Amino acid sequence: MKNKYFGECHCKSIRFEFYCRKDVSIVKCNCSICSITNFLHLIIPHKDFILLRGKEHLHTYQFNKNIAKHFFCKICGIKSFYQPRSHKNCFSINYNSVINPPKIKSVNSFNGRNFENNIKALREISTDH
């Protein structure tokens, strides 16, 4: 059974809801962008995510292969979710941006500094939240 959760950016201009189980696995990545922002990945299928407000405040940042789409709030600069290149049918939500988040059952470390060599392991992480 999936429960409803809400997330937002710091200034609350961007707000979303999503559905997942009450206990989840998250991913902690050591890549250049995740490590500096302390982004903890909660992978959610697109079908279980709804942007409630703030589309006009989203700014997209892309780098390297220009596949992933990092969405930042134009007002406060926070990235509360993004479109990862590892899971094309999912969003990655920053667990730290979730209000009353689900319980963490496991934290999976991912060596994103060597993304190409480790992508297979990341794709095997369950998205059936």
Side-chain angles (χ1 to χ4, degrees), residues 110-123:
F110 174 68
N111 184 357
R113 292 179 189 222
N114 296 301
F115 186 87
E116 299 301 331
N117 293 335
N118 298 307
I119 186 62
K120 184 178 179 185
L122 182 60
R123 287 187 176 139

Side-chain angles (χ1 to χ4, degrees), residues 23-87:
D23 58 338
V24 295
S25 296
I26 61 171
V27 177
K28 183 170 181 147
C29 177
N30 69 353
C31 79
S32 62
I33 197 165
C34 293
S35 60
I36 202 166
T37 61
N38 196 30
F39 197 99
L40 297 175
H41 301 263
L42 175 56
I43 309 295
I44 300 294
H46 287 159
K47 67 180 179 60
D48 292 334
F49 179 94
I50 301 166
L51 182 62
L52 298 173
R53 73 168 176 248
K55 184 176 180 181
E56 70 278 12
H57 297 298
L58 288 175
H59 179 73
T60 304
Y61 171 69
Q62 292 181 279
F63 67 100
N64 195 357
K65 296 190 183 265
N66 292 318
I67 297 171
K69 293 181 181 173
H70 300 267
F71 302 119
F72 293 86
C73 174
K74 290 180 183 179
I75 298 168
C76 67
I78 296 300
K79 178 176 82 168
S80 49
F81 71 97
Y82 81 107
Q83 175 60 63
R85 70 175 166 143
S86 60
H87 294 80

Side-chain angles (χ1 to χ4, degrees), residues 1-4 19-21 45 47-48 127-129:
M1 177 172 185
K2 294 184 179 183
N3 298 305
K4 184 192 303 190
Y19 297 85
C20 69
R21 294 181 182 175
K47 67 180 179 60
D48 292 334
T127 58
D128 65 344
H129 295 297

